[in-house]
Amino acid sequence: MSRIAREAQMAFTVLAVASSSKIMSHLADGPGVSAELIWSLKIIGTLGAFGITWFALTIFLDEKRYRWLWLVSAVMITIAIVSVPIVPQIVPALRAYAALHFIALLALILYSARGDLQDARRRLRPVMSAFLLIYAVGQAITSTPIKGFQSIQVALSQSSVFWLFLTVFTIWALKANLSNWPGETVPDAADKPTLQERTNEQTALVRRILEAMDAGVWQVEGLTVGGLAQKVGAPEHQVRKAINRGLGHRNFASFINRARIDAAIKRLEAPEASEETILEIAFDVGFSSLGPFNRAFRETTGKSPTDFRKQALAQMAAA
């Protein structure tokens, strides 16, 4: 029911249902309760690894290119967990693989923070990273009995802490602004802040950023938020906020790539540049290789650079 993006809603729901089922399976595991009910709850509870992976990717990554690999990896973990009663000897391999999966996911969350312009998401990354570590360690601990404790008590405690985290996050999510959540934005997006909504200081900084962009700062290969901040003479956190709240972008790479793609479009539409190769244009507008340029161009225009040029030049010749 929250205002967050639909995919975030679905991922969060899967995670919440899996967590609830895991808690209920521990509570119901006793005399007088049907084995079928407990089995069903435990099966649903195994979706936790998939849910937390999907949720983390949806919240923290605007880039969707390789997400399917992470989701396939999470599905493999789920299948392996379900298979443990049948093939118990896979437990050591399952633990190692699950640990590698979550450590890699943690590294991805931290690494992708470089271009994140959302203050709320940047603040949440360390919290989610710590939680992923706790979750992975907890899964390993509760998979075998601990001396002096009943394994069901440990498992229930871990599941309850997990559920508490979800509850707190739900409260935050319901109050969150739409711009805190994933998804690319474009300069003319409907939720772009108006001039009246900006402070005078932010408006001045936005103007300096746009002037730097007009001067071609976007052509600098490997440009970072810090590099742009030096160019406009402002602290990095203020530049992040200005691009996010003043220009409506959630990710620095999308902000820079939009300017680069706009410049490439002009070159591809120009008859006098028809002899230039696509690779030359990609390099000239600031891309380090052809692959990222082709992907960014297709995401923006829906066409490959070659097809776009052919269509543009054909229309111009027909006119």
Side-chain angles (χ1 to χ4, degrees):
M1 293 175 63
S2 69
R3 300 180 303 153
I4 63 177
R6 177 60 58 85
E7 187 176 0
Q9 289 177 331
M10 293 190 295
F12 191 81
T13 300
V14 169
L15 187 54
V17 169
S19 303
S20 301
S21 298
K22 187 172 182 180
I23 291 177
M24 288 189 288
S25 70
H26 296 319
L27 294 174
D29 195 1
V33 181
S34 69
E36 290 78 9
L37 175 60
I38 296 175
W39 181 83
S40 299
L41 290 172
K42 287 183 176 180
I43 290 295
I44 297 174
T46 61
L47 292 173
F50 177 81
I52 196 171
T53 301
W54 188 17
F55 177 68
L57 294 175
T58 303
I59 295 300
F60 294 110
L61 293 184
D62 295 318
E63 175 80 43
K64 294 187 176 183
R65 199 166 12 129
Y66 295 120
R67 287 204 306 168
W68 66 273
L69 289 174
W70 290 93
L71 295 177
V72 168
S73 176
V75 169
M76 290 173 60
I77 293 174
T78 300
I79 293 174
I81 293 173
V82 174
S83 303
V84 165
I86 304 173
V87 193
Q89 57 267 32
I90 68 171
V91 169
L94 171 59
R95 287 180 182 167
Y97 184 79
L100 180 63
H101 172 89
F102 285 113
I103 289 172
L105 184 61
L106 184 154
L108 181 66
I109 290 173
L110 295 178
Y111 178 78
S112 61
R114 299 180 308 159
D116 194 355
L117 301 176
Q118 283 293 332
D119 287 340
R121 288 198 305 186
R122 288 176 63 82
R123 289 194 298 268
L124 189 63
R125 285 175 190 272
V127 176
M128 177 58 78
S129 300
F131 175 71
L132 280 174
L133 279 177
I134 295 171
Y135 180 81
V137 171
Q139 289 291 92
I141 290 175
T142 57
S143 61
T144 56
I146 299 177
K147 187 176 180 180
F149 294 91
Q150 293 184 19
S151 59
I152 188 170
Q153 293 175 340
V154 177
L156 181 57
S157 299
Q158 191 241 353
S159 298
S160 299
V161 170
F162 188 36
W163 178 249
L164 177 62
F165 174 87
L166 285 173
T167 303
V168 172
F169 193 91
T170 301
I171 296 171
W172 181 86
L174 288 169
K175 295 180 178 180
N177 186 283
L178 281 174
S179 62
N180 290 341
W181 295 87
E184 295 295 337
T185 54
V186 295
D188 57 350
D191 61 349
K192 174 184 171 183
T194 63
L195 288 173
Q196 291 74 22
E197 292 173 327
R198 304 173 189 163
T199 64
N200 291 335
E201 182 179 357
Q202 190 178 71
T203 299
L205 180 53
V206 167
R207 187 179 298 113
R208 297 206 303 275
I209 291 172
L210 292 177
E211 288 172 354
M213 295 293 284
D214 290 339
V217 69
W218 48 268
Q219 291 177 296
V220 177
E221 184 179 332
L223 181 67
T224 62
V225 181
L228 180 59
Q230 290 181 347
K231 294 285 186 181
V232 300
E236 184 175 328
H237 73 276
Q238 291 184 9
V239 172
R240 291 182 185 276
K241 186 177 294 185
I243 298 174
N244 176 225
R245 298 185 182 179
L247 297 172
H249 287 269
R250 297 185 177 96
N251 185 279
F252 185 70
S254 70
F255 170 62
I256 296 300
N257 284 348
R258 181 59 185 252
R260 291 172 174 171
I261 295 302
D262 287 344
I265 287 173
K266 293 178 181 178
R267 295 275 289 276
L268 292 170
E269 290 177 334
E272 62 272 19
S274 60
E275 298 301 319
E276 295 180 353
T277 66
I278 301 297
L279 183 60
E280 288 174 333
I281 293 176
F283 285 155
D284 287 345
V285 299
F287 285 89
S288 59
S289 62
L290 191 58
F293 172 69
N294 284 335
R295 283 193 297 271
F297 194 92
R298 188 180 291 276
E299 288 172 1
T300 302
T301 66
K303 301 182 181 70
S304 69
T306 302
D307 291 341
F308 182 89
R309 168 184 266 176
K310 289 179 181 179
Q311 183 176 339
L313 296 180
Q315 290 176 348
M316 191 170 295

